[in-house]
């Protein structure tokens, strides 16, 4: 598909309106049939009402690369209110960036008015001292809209009615060259919105593209700007980074660009100190997550965060044990500490931190299998996650005396076999147990 695009990069042969590249139907490989029909319908209705409207962003990029788009976004010169007036099932959402969710099928489609963040032209665009844009919800032309997008490959507009592809920032050339390039001055664009630092790593990993030198150079130096991003937004971004099906590749780039230190500093520190299993833990957890996503299995942020924070929990907990705390309370104290270190950076919602604590505390309960404890543990709704977590720990090199295998067998075993397995544990344990000291004191228990 890209080969077909290649011939249009000879700028002398392009159909050009003087300001941007326009490819006609026979000059590009996009097919309106590949675009979600609800998105096409929205474009049709907007254009019928004399507005400009295009399918834009990630879906155009992905279709040109023969990938399945995650969603379809639409950009238009209609204002949010005008969009809302045209579609009965629609609502305006967001304060800072007003967008309209238009409901056609089950999934709402995001329709956004062309925006501008040109600080020179537009005094209503507000910036903090760090360069962070605090308000950039000003409407603009399609040119402004293209220029405020993050990457050249994300600034392609497709007119599904006329079947024309519009390129304002040489995105097609970068797609063909497999390059990630920030639109405009990279340092300025990163300070306006530091999340773009993460997006560069995410798209480079997902697409296997190389980051152009100018876009790459300021990343490490500017990584600390991520501190200006709100913790809830950072949490959402971490999900896109680690739950998009390319988590391992994303982690490797984040680590290389020293962005990971800003995301999970406690884990980054352990990795840099050469902790025996910390790096394995991230890599293995993300490998497993990628595989699960590819085979359409469920993944939960609680499991991923439980894995990413486990090496720190273990370290803090073992210090408490050394100070004389019983293992269960040491683990609880460690969990509290580690979670409260992370929350100000990525605001993990409470429902996930509850699940994380349960997965961690079950790492102790699943060791105790005597009597009817094993049976009871299996009935715990968190059992499956806690068992998967044991397997993950073993995969990363922790030695747990065959605990994972034991639980794998136990789950498949018949009632009788299960009793046998538990009895064997008991006899094994009583053989190894030191005899209790007899005392002559009266038993007052
Ligand atoms: P995907 O949905 O596959 O992760 P995407 O490119 O569609 O990728 P979205 O987060 O859905 O990413 O954003 C849609 C579009 O909005 C992008 O393609 C880009 O043009 C623009 N965009 C998103 N985030 C930013 C940002 N932080 N700065 C500038 N433009 C952005
Ligand atoms: Mg998208």
């Amino acid at each position: 598909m890209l080969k077909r695009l290649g011939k249009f990069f000879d700028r002398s042969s392009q159909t050009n309106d003087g300001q941007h590249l326009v490819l006609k139907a026979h000059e590009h490989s996009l097919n309106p049939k590949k675009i979600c029909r609800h998105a096409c319908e929205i474009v049709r209705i907007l254009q019928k009402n004399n507005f400009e409207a295009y399918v834009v962003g990630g879906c155009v990029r992905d279709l040109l690369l023969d990938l399945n788009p995650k969603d379809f976004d639409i950009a238009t010169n209609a204002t949010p209110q005008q969009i809302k007036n045209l579609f009965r099932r629609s609502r305006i959402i967001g304060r800072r960036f007003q967008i309209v969710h238009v409901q056609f099928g089950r999934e709402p489609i995001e329709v956004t008015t062309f925006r501008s963040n040109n600080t020179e032209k537009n005094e209503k665009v507000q910036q903090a001292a760090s360069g962070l844009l605090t308000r950039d919800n000003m409407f603009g032309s399609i040119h402004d809209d293209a220029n405020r997008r993050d990457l050249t490959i994300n600034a392609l507009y497709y007119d599904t009615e006329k079947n024309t592809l519009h390129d304002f920032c040489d995105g097609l050339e970068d797609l063909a060259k497999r390059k990630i390039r920030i639109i405009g001055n990279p340092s300025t664009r990163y300070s306006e919105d530091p999340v773009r630092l993460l997006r560069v790593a995410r798209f480079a990993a997902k697409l296997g593209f190389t980051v152009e030198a100018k876009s790459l150079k300021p990343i490490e130096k500017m990584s600390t700007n991520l501190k200006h991003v709100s913790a809830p937004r950072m949490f959402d971004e971490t999900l896109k980074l680690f739950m998009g099906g390319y988590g391992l590749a994303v982690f490797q780039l984040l680590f290389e660009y020293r962005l990971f230190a800003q995301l999970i500093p406690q884990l980054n520190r352990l990795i840099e100190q050469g902790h025996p299993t910390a790096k394995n833990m991230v890599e293995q957890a993300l490998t497993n997550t990628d595989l699960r996503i590819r085979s359409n299995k469920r993944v939960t942020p609680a499991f991923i965060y439980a894995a990413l924070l486990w090496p720190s929990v273990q370290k803090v907990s073992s210090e408490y044990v050394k100070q004389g705390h019983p293992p269960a309370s040491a683990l609880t104290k460690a969990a509290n500490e580690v979670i409260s270190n992370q929350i100000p950076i990525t605001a993990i919602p409470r429902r996930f931190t509850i699940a994380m604590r349960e997965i961690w505390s079950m790492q102790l309960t699943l060791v105790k299998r005597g009597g009817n404890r094993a049976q009871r543990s299996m009935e715990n709704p968190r059992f499956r996650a806690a068992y998967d977590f044991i397997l993950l720990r073993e995969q990363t090199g922790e030695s747990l005396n065959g605990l994972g295998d034991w639980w794998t067998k136990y789950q498949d075993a018949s009632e009788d076999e299960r009793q046998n397995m538990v009895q064997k544990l008991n006899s094994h344990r009583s053989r190894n147990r030191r005899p209790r000291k007899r005392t002559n004191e009266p038993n007052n228990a």
Side-chain angles (χ1 to χ4, degrees), residues 58-59 70-71 73:
C59 59
K70 247 183 19 205
D71 44 34
D73 297 322

Side-chain angles (χ1 to χ4, degrees), residues 103 123 174 212 350:
Q103 195 89 35
E123 71 247 20
D174 288 336
E212 170 245 14
R350 215 174 123 71

